[in-house]
mmCIF file of all heavy atoms in Angstrom:
data_model
loop_
_atom_site.group_PDB
_atom_site.id
_atom_site.type_symbol
_atom_site.label_atom_id
_atom_site.label_comp_id
_atom_site.label_asym_id
_atom_site.label_seq_id
_atom_site.Cartn_x
_atom_site.Cartn_y
_atom_site.Cartn_z
ATOM 1 N N ILE A 1316 -9.679 65.463 5.567
ATOM 2 C CA ILE A 1316 -10.635 66.372 4.927
ATOM 3 C C ILE A 1316 -10.642 66.055 3.439
ATOM 4 O O ILE A 1316 -9.607 65.764 2.845
ATOM 5 C CB ILE A 1316 -10.222 67.841 5.145
ATOM 6 C CG1 ILE A 1316 -10.170 68.171 6.634
ATOM 7 C CG2 ILE A 1316 -11.169 68.781 4.413
ATOM 8 C CD1 ILE A 1316 -9.546 69.518 6.929
ATOM 9 N N ARG A 1317 -11.818 66.095 2.853
ATOM 10 C CA ARG A 1317 -11.928 65.845 1.399
ATOM 11 C C ARG A 1317 -12.587 67.060 0.755
ATOM 12 O O ARG A 1317 -13.485 67.669 1.312
ATOM 13 C CB ARG A 1317 -12.769 64.600 1.155
ATOM 14 C CG ARG A 1317 -12.105 63.365 1.765
ATOM 15 C CD ARG A 1317 -12.205 62.215 0.833
ATOM 16 N NE ARG A 1317 -11.509 61.057 1.334
ATOM 17 C CZ ARG A 1317 -10.671 60.347 0.617
ATOM 18 N NH1 ARG A 1317 -10.411 60.710 -0.621
ATOM 19 N NH2 ARG A 1317 -10.080 59.297 1.104
ATOM 20 N N ASN A 1318 -12.148 67.358 -0.460
ATOM 21 C CA ASN A 1318 -12.739 68.496 -1.180
ATOM 22 C C ASN A 1318 -13.979 68.032 -1.967
ATOM 23 O O ASN A 1318 -14.409 66.889 -1.825
ATOM 24 C CB ASN A 1318 -11.695 69.178 -2.096
ATOM 25 C CG ASN A 1318 -11.214 68.267 -3.202
ATOM 26 O OD1 ASN A 1318 -11.804 67.231 -3.502
ATOM 27 N ND2 ASN A 1318 -10.106 68.673 -3.820
ATOM 28 N N ASP A 1319 -14.510 68.924 -2.796
ATOM 29 C CA ASP A 1319 -15.723 68.611 -3.558
ATOM 30 C C ASP A 1319 -15.521 67.449 -4.531
ATOM 31 O O ASP A 1319 -16.463 66.752 -4.880
ATOM 32 C CB ASP A 1319 -16.187 69.857 -4.349
ATOM 33 C CG ASP A 1319 -16.612 70.978 -3.416
ATOM 34 O OD1 ASP A 1319 -16.927 70.673 -2.243
ATOM 35 O OD2 ASP A 1319 -16.616 72.140 -3.856
ATOM 36 N N GLN A 1320 -14.291 67.239 -4.975
ATOM 37 C CA GLN A 1320 -14.001 66.116 -5.885
ATOM 38 C C GLN A 1320 -13.609 64.855 -5.101
ATOM 39 O O GLN A 1320 -13.098 63.900 -5.673
ATOM 40 C CB GLN A 1320 -12.849 66.470 -6.858
ATOM 41 C CG GLN A 1320 -13.203 67.505 -7.907
ATOM 42 C CD GLN A 1320 -13.022 68.930 -7.373
ATOM 43 O OE1 GLN A 1320 -12.166 69.201 -6.549
ATOM 44 N NE2 GLN A 1320 -13.865 69.841 -7.844
ATOM 45 N N ASN A 1321 -13.833 64.886 -3.802
ATOM 46 C CA ASN A 1321 -13.541 63.759 -2.894
ATOM 47 C C ASN A 1321 -12.045 63.447 -2.829
ATOM 48 O O ASN A 1321 -11.642 62.321 -2.580
ATOM 49 C CB ASN A 1321 -14.337 62.505 -3.295
ATOM 50 C CG ASN A 1321 -14.462 61.546 -2.116
ATOM 51 O OD1 ASN A 1321 -14.437 61.955 -0.954
ATOM 52 N ND2 ASN A 1321 -14.572 60.263 -2.407
ATOM 53 N N LYS A 1322 -11.214 64.464 -3.059
ATOM 54 C CA LYS A 1322 -9.770 64.291 -2.937
ATOM 55 C C LYS A 1322 -9.329 64.787 -1.571
ATOM 56 O O LYS A 1322 -9.913 65.724 -1.029
ATOM 57 C CB LYS A 1322 -9.043 65.049 -4.048
ATOM 58 C CG LYS A 1322 -9.327 64.486 -5.423
ATOM 59 C CD LYS A 1322 -8.501 65.168 -6.484
ATOM 60 C CE LYS A 1322 -8.818 64.525 -7.824
ATOM 61 N NZ LYS A 1322 -7.971 65.021 -8.889
ATOM 62 N N ARG A 1323 -8.290 64.160 -1.056
ATOM 63 C CA ARG A 1323 -7.792 64.554 0.267
ATOM 64 C C ARG A 1323 -7.181 65.951 0.220
ATOM 65 O O ARG A 1323 -6.438 66.288 -0.693
ATOM 66 C CB ARG A 1323 -6.734 63.561 0.752
ATOM 67 C CG ARG A 1323 -7.264 62.201 1.069
ATOM 68 C CD ARG A 1323 -6.134 61.287 1.583
ATOM 69 N NE ARG A 1323 -6.571 59.904 1.547
ATOM 70 C CZ ARG A 1323 -6.353 59.063 0.553
ATOM 71 N NH1 ARG A 1323 -5.672 59.465 -0.513
ATOM 72 N NH2 ARG A 1323 -6.796 57.833 0.588
ATOM 73 N N VAL A 1324 -7.491 66.713 1.256
ATOM 74 C CA VAL A 1324 -6.876 68.018 1.466
ATOM 75 C C VAL A 1324 -6.236 67.936 2.851
ATOM 76 O O VAL A 1324 -6.858 67.482 3.807
ATOM 77 C CB VAL A 1324 -7.930 69.148 1.422
ATOM 78 C CG1 VAL A 1324 -7.288 70.490 1.703
ATOM 79 C CG2 VAL A 1324 -8.658 69.161 0.089
ATOM 80 N N PHE A 1325 -5.005 68.394 2.964
ATOM 81 C CA PHE A 1325 -4.259 68.227 4.202
ATOM 82 C C PHE A 1325 -4.119 69.548 4.945
ATOM 83 O O PHE A 1325 -4.011 70.611 4.330
ATOM 84 C CB PHE A 1325 -2.873 67.655 3.893
ATOM 85 C CG PHE A 1325 -2.936 66.305 3.224
ATOM 86 C CD1 PHE A 1325 -2.991 66.203 1.842
ATOM 87 C CD2 PHE A 1325 -2.963 65.137 3.964
ATOM 88 C CE1 PHE A 1325 -3.048 64.976 1.209
ATOM 89 C CE2 PHE A 1325 -3.024 63.897 3.351
ATOM 90 C CZ PHE A 1325 -3.071 63.810 1.966
ATOM 91 N N VAL A 1326 -4.129 69.435 6.275
ATOM 92 C CA VAL A 1326 -3.914 70.606 7.136
ATOM 93 C C VAL A 1326 -2.702 70.313 8.019
ATOM 94 O O VAL A 1326 -2.140 69.212 7.988
ATOM 95 C CB VAL A 1326 -5.173 70.915 7.985
ATOM 96 C CG1 VAL A 1326 -6.320 71.380 7.101
ATOM 97 C CG2 VAL A 1326 -5.573 69.732 8.831
ATOM 98 N N ASP A 1327 -2.297 71.308 8.812
ATOM 99 C CA ASP A 1327 -1.094 71.164 9.636
ATOM 100 C C ASP A 1327 -1.154 69.936 10.549
ATOM 101 O O ASP A 1327 -0.147 69.249 10.734
ATOM 102 C CB ASP A 1327 -0.888 72.429 10.481
ATOM 103 C CG ASP A 1327 -0.471 73.629 9.634
ATOM 104 O OD1 ASP A 1327 0.169 73.409 8.588
ATOM 105 O OD2 ASP A 1327 -0.792 74.774 10.008
ATOM 106 N N ALA A 1328 -2.320 69.650 11.110
ATOM 107 C CA ALA A 1328 -2.445 68.492 11.998
ATOM 108 C C ALA A 1328 -2.158 67.195 11.246
ATOM 109 O O ALA A 1328 -1.548 66.264 11.792
ATOM 110 C CB ALA A 1328 -3.839 68.439 12.618
ATOM 111 N N ASN A 1329 -2.559 67.129 9.985
ATOM 112 C CA ASN A 1329 -2.275 65.945 9.170
ATOM 113 C C ASN A 1329 -0.774 65.784 8.948
ATOM 114 O O ASN A 1329 -0.257 64.662 8.921
ATOM 115 C CB ASN A 1329 -2.977 66.007 7.819
ATOM 116 C CG ASN A 1329 -4.488 66.088 7.937
ATOM 117 O OD1 ASN A 1329 -5.116 66.887 7.238
ATOM 118 N ND2 ASN A 1329 -5.092 65.281 8.792
ATOM 119 N N ILE A 1330 -0.074 66.911 8.796
ATOM 120 C CA ILE A 1330 1.382 66.857 8.606
ATOM 121 C C ILE A 1330 2.040 66.264 9.848
ATOM 122 O O ILE A 1330 2.927 65.412 9.756
ATOM 123 C CB ILE A 1330 1.956 68.250 8.279
ATOM 124 C CG1 ILE A 1330 1.397 68.738 6.936
ATOM 125 C CG2 ILE A 1330 3.481 68.217 8.255
ATOM 126 C CD1 ILE A 1330 1.744 70.175 6.607
ATOM 127 N N VAL A 1331 1.578 66.684 11.017
ATOM 128 C CA VAL A 1331 2.121 66.151 12.272
ATOM 129 C C VAL A 1331 1.889 64.639 12.334
ATOM 130 O O VAL A 1331 2.800 63.858 12.645
ATOM 131 C CB VAL A 1331 1.467 66.854 13.486
ATOM 132 C CG1 VAL A 1331 1.846 66.168 14.784
ATOM 133 C CG2 VAL A 1331 1.862 68.319 13.518
ATOM 134 N N VAL A 1332 0.674 64.226 12.020
ATOM 135 C CA VAL A 1332 0.330 62.799 12.047
ATOM 136 C C VAL A 1332 1.189 62.029 11.051
ATOM 137 O O VAL A 1332 1.749 60.978 11.371
ATOM 138 C CB VAL A 1332 -1.180 62.608 11.741
ATOM 139 C CG1 VAL A 1332 -1.500 61.164 11.436
ATOM 140 C CG2 VAL A 1332 -2.020 63.121 12.910
ATOM 141 N N LEU A 1333 1.324 62.548 9.843
ATOM 142 C CA LEU A 1333 2.087 61.851 8.809
ATOM 143 C C LEU A 1333 3.587 61.823 9.119
ATOM 144 O O LEU A 1333 4.270 60.849 8.803
ATOM 145 C CB LEU A 1333 1.812 62.473 7.436
ATOM 146 C CG LEU A 1333 0.407 62.177 6.888
ATOM 147 C CD1 LEU A 1333 0.072 63.095 5.720
ATOM 148 C CD2 LEU A 1333 0.286 60.714 6.485
ATOM 149 N N ARG A 1334 4.101 62.877 9.746
ATOM 150 C CA ARG A 1334 5.517 62.858 10.148
ATOM 151 C C ARG A 1334 5.755 61.772 11.194
ATOM 152 O O ARG A 1334 6.754 61.060 11.157
ATOM 153 C CB ARG A 1334 5.927 64.225 10.698
ATOM 154 C CG ARG A 1334 6.296 65.197 9.628
ATOM 155 C CD ARG A 1334 7.013 66.415 10.171
ATOM 156 N NE ARG A 1334 7.397 67.271 9.066
ATOM 157 C CZ ARG A 1334 7.213 68.573 9.029
ATOM 158 N NH1 ARG A 1334 6.647 69.195 10.045
ATOM 159 N NH2 ARG A 1334 7.593 69.265 7.985
ATOM 160 N N HIS A 1335 4.843 61.689 12.123
ATOM 161 C CA HIS A 1335 4.941 60.651 13.159
ATOM 162 C C HIS A 1335 4.851 59.266 12.510
ATOM 163 O O HIS A 1335 5.606 58.354 12.852
ATOM 164 C CB HIS A 1335 3.826 60.858 14.197
ATOM 165 C CG HIS A 1335 4.026 60.087 15.446
ATOM 166 N ND1 HIS A 1335 5.012 60.366 16.346
ATOM 167 C CD2 HIS A 1335 3.361 59.020 15.932
ATOM 168 C CE1 HIS A 1335 4.956 59.516 17.343
ATOM 169 N NE2 HIS A 1335 3.948 58.677 17.123
ATOM 170 N N PHE A 1336 3.927 59.127 11.582
ATOM 171 C CA PHE A 1336 3.754 57.867 10.846
ATOM 172 C C PHE A 1336 5.052 57.505 10.106
ATOM 173 O O PHE A 1336 5.515 56.364 10.134
ATOM 174 C CB PHE A 1336 2.588 58.016 9.866
ATOM 175 C CG PHE A 1336 2.139 56.736 9.233
ATOM 176 C CD1 PHE A 1336 1.187 55.939 9.834
ATOM 177 C CD2 PHE A 1336 2.676 56.324 8.019
ATOM 178 C CE1 PHE A 1336 0.763 54.756 9.251
ATOM 179 C CE2 PHE A 1336 2.263 55.144 7.424
ATOM 180 C CZ PHE A 1336 1.300 54.357 8.047
ATOM 181 N N LYS A 1337 5.653 58.509 9.458
ATOM 182 C CA LYS A 1337 6.904 58.296 8.727
ATOM 183 C C LYS A 1337 7.997 57.823 9.672
ATOM 184 O O LYS A 1337 8.759 56.904 9.348
ATOM 185 C CB LYS A 1337 7.325 59.602 8.031
ATOM 186 C CG LYS A 1337 8.644 59.493 7.292
ATOM 187 C CD LYS A 1337 9.033 60.813 6.638
ATOM 188 C CE LYS A 1337 10.370 60.671 5.912
ATOM 189 N NZ LYS A 1337 10.777 61.893 5.244
ATOM 190 N N GLU A 1338 8.083 58.440 10.829
ATOM 191 C CA GLU A 1338 9.087 58.053 11.825
ATOM 192 C C GLU A 1338 8.948 56.570 12.187
ATOM 193 O O GLU A 1338 9.931 55.835 12.222
ATOM 194 C CB GLU A 1338 8.916 58.929 13.083
ATOM 195 C CG GLU A 1338 9.725 58.488 14.274
ATOM 196 C CD GLU A 1338 11.200 58.839 14.171
ATOM 197 O OE1 GLU A 1338 11.572 59.689 13.342
ATOM 198 O OE2 GLU A 1338 11.978 58.241 14.915
ATOM 199 N N LEU A 1339 7.728 56.146 12.442
ATOM 200 C CA LEU A 1339 7.495 54.756 12.827
ATOM 201 C C LEU A 1339 7.807 53.787 11.691
ATOM 202 O O LEU A 1339 8.434 52.748 11.898
ATOM 203 C CB LEU A 1339 6.047 54.562 13.284
ATOM 204 C CG LEU A 1339 5.643 55.294 14.560
ATOM 205 C CD1 LEU A 1339 4.148 55.144 14.801
ATOM 206 C CD2 LEU A 1339 6.438 54.787 15.741
ATOM 207 N N VAL A 1340 7.396 54.127 10.487
ATOM 208 C CA VAL A 1340 7.549 53.210 9.350
ATOM 209 C C VAL A 1340 8.998 53.171 8.868
ATOM 210 O O VAL A 1340 9.565 52.093 8.673
ATOM 211 C CB VAL A 1340 6.596 53.610 8.197
ATOM 212 C CG1 VAL A 1340 6.894 52.826 6.941
ATOM 213 C CG2 VAL A 1340 5.154 53.404 8.622
ATOM 214 N N GLN A 1341 9.598 54.331 8.684
ATOM 215 C CA GLN A 1341 10.931 54.354 8.073
ATOM 216 C C GLN A 1341 12.059 54.172 9.079
ATOM 217 O O GLN A 1341 13.028 53.493 8.800
ATOM 218 C CB GLN A 1341 11.124 55.648 7.284
ATOM 219 C CG GLN A 1341 10.246 55.703 6.039
ATOM 220 C CD GLN A 1341 10.495 56.948 5.196
ATOM 221 O OE1 GLN A 1341 11.098 57.907 5.632
ATOM 222 N NE2 GLN A 1341 9.994 56.931 3.968
ATOM 223 N N ASN A 1342 11.947 54.789 10.247
ATOM 224 C CA ASN A 1342 13.049 54.716 11.207
ATOM 225 C C ASN A 1342 12.932 53.554 12.184
ATOM 226 O O ASN A 1342 13.915 53.165 12.799
ATOM 227 C CB ASN A 1342 13.170 56.026 11.982
ATOM 228 C CG ASN A 1342 13.529 57.187 11.065
ATOM 229 O OD1 ASN A 1342 14.020 56.986 9.969
ATOM 230 N ND2 ASN A 1342 13.270 58.395 11.516
ATOM 231 N N HIS A 1343 11.731 53.022 12.353
ATOM 232 C CA HIS A 1343 11.541 51.907 13.286
ATOM 233 C C HIS A 1343 11.058 50.650 12.576
ATOM 234 O O HIS A 1343 10.674 49.680 13.224
ATOM 235 C CB HIS A 1343 10.567 52.306 14.409
ATOM 236 C CG HIS A 1343 11.084 53.435 15.251
ATOM 237 N ND1 HIS A 1343 12.114 53.284 16.138
ATOM 238 C CD2 HIS A 1343 10.732 54.741 15.308
ATOM 239 C CE1 HIS A 1343 12.366 54.454 16.723
ATOM 240 N NE2 HIS A 1343 11.545 55.349 16.242
ATOM 241 N N SER A 1344 11.014 50.699 11.258
ATOM 242 C CA SER A 1344 10.645 49.539 10.419
ATOM 243 C C SER A 1344 9.337 48.881 10.856
ATOM 244 O O SER A 1344 9.222 47.668 10.894
ATOM 245 C CB SER A 1344 11.766 48.496 10.443
ATOM 246 O OG SER A 1344 12.961 49.053 9.997
ATOM 247 N N MET A 1345 8.369 49.692 11.179
ATOM 248 C CA MET A 1345 7.077 49.169 11.626
ATOM 249 C C MET A 1345 6.167 48.951 10.421
ATOM 250 O O MET A 1345 6.223 49.692 9.448
ATOM 251 C CB MET A 1345 6.440 50.158 12.603
ATOM 252 C CG MET A 1345 5.237 49.601 13.330
ATOM 253 S SD MET A 1345 4.599 50.750 14.565
ATOM 254 C CE MET A 1345 5.846 50.592 15.807
ATOM 255 N N GLN A 1346 5.337 47.927 10.505
ATOM 256 C CA GLN A 1346 4.368 47.673 9.448
ATOM 257 C C GLN A 1346 3.329 48.793 9.434
ATOM 258 O O GLN A 1346 3.028 49.398 10.463
ATOM 259 C CB GLN A 1346 3.677 46.330 9.656
ATOM 260 C CG GLN A 1346 4.616 45.155 9.503
ATOM 261 C CD GLN A 1346 3.912 43.835 9.752
ATOM 262 O OE1 GLN A 1346 2.760 43.812 10.178
ATOM 263 N NE2 GLN A 1346 4.608 42.752 9.500
#
């Protein structure tokens, strides 16, 4: 989601996605 200034705004679903992303990148050394 982007606000009027075209900046990202995050919601709970984004946190879930980013946590999963973090798990893959940091704990599984994935590109």
Side-chain angles (χ1 to χ4, degrees):
I1316 300 170
R1317 298 222 176 228
N1318 64 15
D1319 295 339
Q1320 290 85 32
N1321 201 27
K1322 294 185 179 186
R1323 292 181 195 94
V1324 177
F1325 299 90
V1326 293
D1327 290 331
N1329 300 135
I1330 296 172
V1331 171
V1332 166
L1333 289 165
R1334 277 194 177 133
H1335 194 69
F1336 191 88
K1337 178 181 180 179
E1338 170 76 17
L1339 294 173
V1340 171
Q1341 291 184 345
N1342 296 341
H1343 297 288
S1344 302
M1345 191 175 286
Q1346 293 178 352

